[in-house]
């Protein structure tokens, strides 16, 4: 009775009472002479012939056996008399031997030594006879191992150990018998028919909890099946408290046959999690082989797979014929479809899948679903469609996920004018609420020569124009500098896609004033005051602290009067400085303060008092006619992705689109002679603008800029799989 044997890595509601009740009723039915078309195979029918190993086998030799065969679930072990003495589970063995200290300790040891120190490695919940029925074995197994910690059991025949039987294989075999089982149950009493009605509820125990709480992510999953057993599937797991794998799939059709494939997918994902697999394209390739060998092309399964690095925000994703996932970028107010194609699972025995990469900011939202949402029709045959779905996702961008899900399902009900759906419906939605950190990593506060990284990697203008795809994804974006021979604004959109955030002009005179060596090594500093570091001997200096938004007008007037008193060599630039001050302070007052989802806390231009602990400081220095303006806030919410996107949109002529904004950042760059931004996420942003007061403003020349973004691990940004 497969609905009572749905198993996974998490605790489940397993109705052993119902299993025993069913078996008893079957015996009564048979005693009355009624024909019952339901057979259960024996363990021997499913056992896998595996040559046992002996206690004198090397510990590392066993590790090599498991690593070279991903399908090898367990190894029986014989003692010196060639009698069974235990079984080594793949999961338990790899958990121990993938630790560096264990490999060193047992490098030259055999299994006998391991047995003396780790007897639990050789244990099994029970030993099964090849003639036993798998349903009876499963009942006994689940009583002894309710959390399913063992993936295989030793099988004993007349001649001794004949191999192992996988728990997943027994589960799948019972799944394949489910059709006959349901027909049998319909011949039995009303109480067994009630168990059929509960099949969908029991199948949900195969899935992870609906409330999603993962490192850096929070969300909700909702599944509505259209029959007793559904064909939709979702799963998720975390690896090393950093990477999060998300899977959403859909079997062609629904009901008993589709439920069989869902069971196969779940069993396979359990092994993938045990192997700490995080690459989406590899996950789909391995699942494809499992589905092919389970369904033999009679049924196919679509699936969207993604992995999120919650320390850096990198998202890798691959697709096996499923609907594209959606990514709502909170700071941009934009909904992106993660478009990538691929063959459905089970179409061919071996299929390779492509993989793409994007970036997720704190406050962004991921939305995955199954096709029934867009395919549900009303009485006139009109589908709900992608336009309605996308409009709803955008209109609910500021809503919590529970409200979004409820309103989406209600919209489907209103569209179809019925409370049931023709196909299974699944909605999976998560918000990226925070960056995770490695609590065991303590970054140095002072960079000494032995801790410094190598010199920065320079990309020359002419080389990039000839080879625009030549930037290696392995280079840390903090270390990468684009060196332009001429105006380079036309390249900003392309360079931004590669994550390049440091762009300097070769011949701009300000580079000599600030010092080439200083500019090129800005990535090595983690300074609280870049202005003081870049202008070390100013002739003039002013500092202002904000306590209220109304301080802005007063401070700008103070700065303007101060500059006029200094008899600057080029007083025409004072108007430009006043304009820059206005834009910089506006960003500090209204763009920087954001909540956990990246939404602005204050409307632009509103009157507000700075909160307790909130810092907004303006510094100005003049050294040899070079004016430096620095604004420091205590928020740290600006990201390279947002900054580069703003510049790119304006370069492409898209900057004035309604709802996009970002003109301030673009103008600050355009009107400065050099712009530097340094961000410690959730801690501090410092914007430094430099204006050469000795020279007139040149609005036709591009200016150099550098965005230094310091995460706990210096944020590796990869834009290809490797």
């Amino acid at each position: 009775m497969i609905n009572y044997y749905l198993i996974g890595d998490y605790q489940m509601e397993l109705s052993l009472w119902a299993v025993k009740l069913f078996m008893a009723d079957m015996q009564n039915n048979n005693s009355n002479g009624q024909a019952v078309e339901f057979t259960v195979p024996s363990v021997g029918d499913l056992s896998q012939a595996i040559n046992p190993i002996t206690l004198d086998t090397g510990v590392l030799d066993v590790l090599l056996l498991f690593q070279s065969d991903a399908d090898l679930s367990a190894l029986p072990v014989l003692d010196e008399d060639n009698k069974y003495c235990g079984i080594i589970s793949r999961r338990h063995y790899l958990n121990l031997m993938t630790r560096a200290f264990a490999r060193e300790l047992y490098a030259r040891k055999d299994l006998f030594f391991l047995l003396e120190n780790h007897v639990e490695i050789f244990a099994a919940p029970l030993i099964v006879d090849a003639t036993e029925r798998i349903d009876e074995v499963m009942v006994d197994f689940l009583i002894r191992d309710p959390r399913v910690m063992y993936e295989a059991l030793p099988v004993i025949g007349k001649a001794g150990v004949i191999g192992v039987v996988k728990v997943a294989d027994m589960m799948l075999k019972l799944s394949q018998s489910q059709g006959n089982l349901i027909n049998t149950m319909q011949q039995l009493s009303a109480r067994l028919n009630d168990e059929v009605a509960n099949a969908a509820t029991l199948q949900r125990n195969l899935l992870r909890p609906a409330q999603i709480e993962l490192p850096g992510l929070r969300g909700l999953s909702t599944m509505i099946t259209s029959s007793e057993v559904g064909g939709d599937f979702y799963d998720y797991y975390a690896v090393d408290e950093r990477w999060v794998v998300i899977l959403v799939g859909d079997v062609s059709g629904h009901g008993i046959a589709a439920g069989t494939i869902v069971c196969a997918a779940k069993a396979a994902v359990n092994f993938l999690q045990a192997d700490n697999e995080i690459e989406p394209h590899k996950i789909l390739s391995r699942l494809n082989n499992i589905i092919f060998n389970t369904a033999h092309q009679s049924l196919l399964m679509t699936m969207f797979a993604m992995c999120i690095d919650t320390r850096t925000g990198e998202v890798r994703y691959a697709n096996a014929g499923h609907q594209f996932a959606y990514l709502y970028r909170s700071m941009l107010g934009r909904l992106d479809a993660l478009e990538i194609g691929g063959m459905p699972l089970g179409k061919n025995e071996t299929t390779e899948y492509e993989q793409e990469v994007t970036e997720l900011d704190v406050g962004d939202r991921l939305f995955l679903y199954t096709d029934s949402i867009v395919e549900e029709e009303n009485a006139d045959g009109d589908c709900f469609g992608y336009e309605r779905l996308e409009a709803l996702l955008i209109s609910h961008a500021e809503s919590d996920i529970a409200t979004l899900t409820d309103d989406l399902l209600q919209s489907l009900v209103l569209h179809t004018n019925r409370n049931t759906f023709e196909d299974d419906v699944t909605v999976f939605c998560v918000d990226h609420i925070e960056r995770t950190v490695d609590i065991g990593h303590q970054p140095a506060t002072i960079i000494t020569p032995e801790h410094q990284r190598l010199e920065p990697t320079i990309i020359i203008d002419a080389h990039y124009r000839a080879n625009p795809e030549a930037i290696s994804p392995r280079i840390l974006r903090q270390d990468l500098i684009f060196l332009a021979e001429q105006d380079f604004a036309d390249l900003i959109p392309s360079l931004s896609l590669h994550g390049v955030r440091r762009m300097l002009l070769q011949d701009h005179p300000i580079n000599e004033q600030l010092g080439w060596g200083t500019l090129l090594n800005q990535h090595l500093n983690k300074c609280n005051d870049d202005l003081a570091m870049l202008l070390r001997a100013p002739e003039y200096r002013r500092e202002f602290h904000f306590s209220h938004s109304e301080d802005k007008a007063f401070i700008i007037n103070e700065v303007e009067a101060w500059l006029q008193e200094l008899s600057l060599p080029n007083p025409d630039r004072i108007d430009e400085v006043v304009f820059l001050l206005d834009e910089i302070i506006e960003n500090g007052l209204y763009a920087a303060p954001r909540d956990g989802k990246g939404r602005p806390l204050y409307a632009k231009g509103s009157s507000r008092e700075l909160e307790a602990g909130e810092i907004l400081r303006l510094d100005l220095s003049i050294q040899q006619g070079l004016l430096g303006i620095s604004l420091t806030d205590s928020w740290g919410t600006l990201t390279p992705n947002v900054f580069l996107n703003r510049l790119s949109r304006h370069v492409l002529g898209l900057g004035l689109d309604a709802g996009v904004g970002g003109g301030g950042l673009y103008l600050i760059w355009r009107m400065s002679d050099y712009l530097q931004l340094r961000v410690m996420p959730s801690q501090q942003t410092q914007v430094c603008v430099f204006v050469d007061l000795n020279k007139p403003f040149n609005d036709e020349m591009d200016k150099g800029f550098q965005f230094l973004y310091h995460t706990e691990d210096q944020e590796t940004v990869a834009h290809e799989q490797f």
Side-chain angles (χ1 to χ4, degrees):
M1 186 172 182
I2 185 60
N3 285 311
Y4 305 115
Y5 298 114
L6 299 176
I7 60 177
D9 285 343
Y10 284 85
Q11 291 185 354
M12 308 171 188
E13 298 289 339
L14 294 169
S15 180
L16 297 178
W17 171 84
V19 175
K20 296 176 180 177
L21 173 64
F22 166 71
M23 294 171 65
D25 280 349
M26 280 188 61
Q27 293 174 356
N28 292 335
N29 226 352
N30 283 326
S31 65
N32 294 330
Q34 299 179 10
V36 178
E37 297 181 357
F38 175 70
T39 59
V40 179
S42 66
V43 170
D45 297 331
L46 300 181
S47 64
Q48 180 182 8
I50 295 177
N51 293 327
I53 57 177
T54 57
L55 286 173
D56 59 1
T57 306
V59 171
L60 294 187
D61 292 334
V62 176
L63 178 62
L64 182 61
L65 289 174
F66 282 121
Q67 291 177 335
S68 61
D69 186 355
D71 194 48
L72 183 61
S73 58
L75 285 167
V77 183
L78 303 181
D79 61 16
E80 59 270 25
D81 298 324
N82 285 329
K83 294 182 180 180
Y84 172 83
C85 72
I87 184 171
I88 297 178
S89 163
R90 174 189 185 87
R91 179 184 301 168
H92 293 162
Y93 200 78
L94 292 183
N95 283 343
L96 172 65
M97 297 309 301
T98 52
R99 303 170 185 171
F101 80 90
R103 292 196 299 274
E104 294 177 3
L105 178 63
Y106 300 110
R108 295 179 177 85
K109 306 297 183 180
D110 56 21
L111 291 180
F112 188 88
F113 184 85
L114 183 64
L115 175 60
E116 291 181 335
N117 294 275
H118 290 280
V119 65
E120 73 279 359
I121 292 293
F122 298 78
L126 70 159
I127 302 172
V128 296
D129 191 280
T131 61
E132 291 185 73
R133 287 175 26 165
I134 62 173
D135 60 335
E136 295 173 342
V137 170
M138 285 295 295
V139 171
D140 195 9
F141 170 75
L142 290 171
I143 292 173
R144 296 167 181 261
D145 184 15
R147 290 179 58 84
V148 194
M149 302 302 295
Y150 292 86
E151 60 262 54
L153 302 174
V155 180
I156 307 297
K158 293 181 179 180
V161 179
I162 64 174
V164 302
V165 60
K166 294 181 181 179
V167 173
D169 286 346
M170 290 191 287
M171 178 187 69
L172 293 176
K173 192 63 179 178
L174 286 171
S175 297
Q176 293 167 0
S177 304
Q178 192 171 16
N180 288 337
L181 176 59
I182 297 299
N183 292 332
T184 301
M185 290 177 65
Q186 290 175 345
Q187 299 175 34
L188 302 177
S189 63
R191 54 184 170 163
L192 290 180
N193 288 326
D194 291 339
E195 293 295 335
V196 177
N198 292 329
T201 301
L202 293 174
Q203 187 192 31
R204 278 193 175 83
N205 292 323
L206 185 78
L207 305 173
R208 308 286 185 183
Q211 292 290 340
I212 303 165
E213 296 187 5
L214 292 162
L217 302 170
R218 294 292 183 274
L220 181 67
S221 59
T222 301
M223 178 184 292
I224 301 174
T225 56
S226 58
S227 60
E228 289 84 357
V229 181
D232 279 6
F233 173 77
Y234 72 82
D235 208 343
Y236 55 84
Y237 59 85
V239 175
D240 294 339
E241 292 299 313
R242 173 176 179 175
W243 291 278
V244 172
V245 173
I246 294 174
L247 307 168
V248 172
D250 183 9
V251 179
S252 53
H254 51 87
I256 303 301
T260 301
I261 306 303
V262 169
C263 291
K266 175 57 183 176
V269 172
N270 288 346
F271 282 107
L272 291 167
Q273 181 181 4
D275 290 342
N276 287 338
E277 182 59 71
I278 63 173
E279 295 294 343
H281 70 292
K282 294 181 181 179
I283 291 173
L284 292 183
S285 292
R286 290 178 64 176
L287 287 175
N288 172 75
N289 183 264
I290 296 294
I291 301 303
F292 178 86
N293 287 293
T294 300
H296 304 290
Q297 296 181 308
S298 61
L299 290 174
L300 304 178
M301 186 177 195
T302 66
M303 183 172 290
F304 199 98
M306 62 172 55
C307 176
I308 304 160
D309 185 342
T310 58
R311 289 190 197 166
T312 67
E314 180 188 79
V315 181
R316 305 179 191 179
Y317 57 96
N319 191 9
H322 199 78
Q323 282 63 46
F324 302 144
Y326 283 109
L327 168 56
Y328 182 78
R329 302 187 184 276
S330 178
M331 289 190 181
L332 302 181
R334 188 181 75 206
L335 185 69
D336 290 342
L338 303 183
E339 298 185 8
I340 184 173
M343 194 76 69
L345 304 177
K347 182 70 173 177
N348 300 310
E349 186 171 9
T350 57
T351 303
E352 298 296 325
Y353 292 91
E354 296 181 356
Q355 184 165 291
E356 295 290 345
V357 177
T358 188
E359 187 175 346
L360 189 70
D361 284 324
V362 173
D364 288 354
R365 173 174 290 176
L366 286 165
F367 180 87
L368 298 90
Y369 63 104
T370 52
D371 59 5
S372 55
I373 290 178
V374 293
E375 293 178 356
E376 285 290 334
E377 297 180 353
N378 60 16
D380 297 327
D382 296 328
C383 293
F384 187 77
Y386 293 98
E387 290 185 2
R388 288 188 180 92
L389 175 60
E390 292 172 3
L392 192 143
L393 293 178
I394 293 173
S395 65
H396 284 69
E398 304 300 322
S399 303
D400 60 81
I401 292 177
T403 301
L404 165 64
T405 302
D406 290 344
D407 287 359
L408 172 57
L409 296 177
Q410 185 60 31
S411 296
L412 277 176
V413 170
L414 293 175
H415 176 74
T416 59
N417 198 29
R418 46 185 163 79
N419 293 320
T420 59
F421 304 121
E422 296 295 328
D423 199 357
D424 304 329
V425 171
T426 296
V427 173
F428 190 103
C429 189
V430 292
D431 287 337
H432 183 26
I433 60 171
E434 63 183 356
R435 290 281 202 257
T436 58
V437 297
D438 183 357
I439 59 175
H441 175 68
Q442 298 296 331
T445 56
I446 299 177
I447 299 177
T448 56
E450 63 268 26
H451 291 110
Q452 289 186 5
R453 287 176 282 175
L454 299 176
E455 292 297 320
T457 301
I458 306 295
I459 301 175
I460 303 300
D461 189 317
H463 177 74
Y464 180 78
R465 290 181 184 274
N467 305 277
E469 300 298 327
I471 301 179
S472 169
R474 302 174 188 270
I475 303 173
L476 290 174
R477 270 29 187 181
Q478 294 285 63
D479 300 345
L480 189 61
I481 299 176
F482 176 76
L483 198 57
E485 300 172 0
Q486 54 190 323
D487 284 350
F488 59 91
D490 60 308
L491 296 178
I492 288 179
S494 174
L495 290 165
S496 298
L497 291 176
H498 291 290
V500 181
R501 58 185 72 153
R502 304 176 66 190
M503 307 181 194
L504 298 174
L505 276 165
Q506 284 191 40
D507 299 325
H508 200 290
I510 202 170
N511 299 333
E512 297 294 336
Q513 289 179 270
L514 295 175
W516 267 109
T518 300
L519 292 177
L520 294 178
N521 287 297
Q522 284 297 293
H523 62 301
L524 297 179
N525 297 303
K526 204 168 181 181
C527 182
N528 290 326
D529 192 346
D530 281 334
L531 183 59
M533 181 185 64
L534 293 168
L535 297 182
R536 296 179 180 274
E539 296 96 13
Y540 308 100
R541 189 178 186 281
R542 294 294 301 271
E543 180 178 319
F544 301 91
H545 292 264
F546 289 80
S547 60
H548 198 284
S549 58
E550 294 178 2
D551 295 340
K552 172 188 164 185
F554 169 77
I555 291 175
I556 291 178
N557 289 334
E558 280 285 302
V559 173
E560 183 177 13
W562 174 61
L563 293 176
Q564 289 172 346
E565 292 174 358
L566 294 178
S567 301
L568 300 174
N570 196 348
D572 292 340
R573 300 208 71 174
I574 293 179
D575 291 340
E576 172 197 344
V577 171
V578 170
F579 182 86
L580 276 170
L581 284 172
D582 186 81
E583 291 294 337
I584 294 171
I585 296 172
E586 281 285 302
N587 274 280
L589 284 171
Y590 303 111
R594 293 177 178 268
D595 63 15
K597 293 186 177 181
R599 297 171 296 197
L601 294 175
Y602 307 102
K604 186 175 181 180
S606 61
S607 177
R608 77 176 188 89
E609 185 175 358
L610 269 67
E611 299 290 338
E614 182 183 356
I615 296 172
L616 190 64
R617 187 185 76 245
L618 179 70
D619 295 277
L620 300 99
S621 294
I622 300 178
Q623 180 177 314
Q624 298 178 350
L626 183 61
L627 170 65
I629 304 171
S630 168
L631 188 77
T632 304
D633 70 56
S634 54
W635 290 93
T637 54
L638 184 60
T639 66
N641 185 55
V642 170
F643 173 73
L644 294 171
N645 182 275
R646 297 294 197 262
L647 266 58
S648 298
R649 291 187 66 85
H650 280 274
V651 168
L652 296 171
L654 305 174
L656 299 180
D657 283 3
V660 174
L665 290 172
Y666 175 77
L667 290 173
I668 291 170
W669 169 61
R670 271 295 181 196
M671 299 189 70
S672 64
D673 289 310
Y674 169 68
L675 172 62
Q676 179 169 302
L677 305 99
R678 190 185 299 275
V679 178
M680 270 71 88
S682 303
Q683 299 178 40
Q684 177 178 293
T685 300
Q686 189 171 68
V687 179
C688 286
V689 176
F690 293 87
V691 177
D692 189 348
L693 299 175
N694 295 314
K695 295 180 174 60
F697 174 57
N698 184 350
D699 61 351
E700 295 183 358
M701 184 177 186
D702 293 339
K703 320 296 170 47
F705 66 83
Q706 300 194 77
F707 196 123
L708 294 312
Y709 193 70
H710 298 278
T711 61
E712 290 296 329
D713 53 3
Q714 293 299 316
E715 192 191 16
T716 303
V717 180
H719 289 264
E720 297 176 13
Q721 65 191 57
F722 58 93

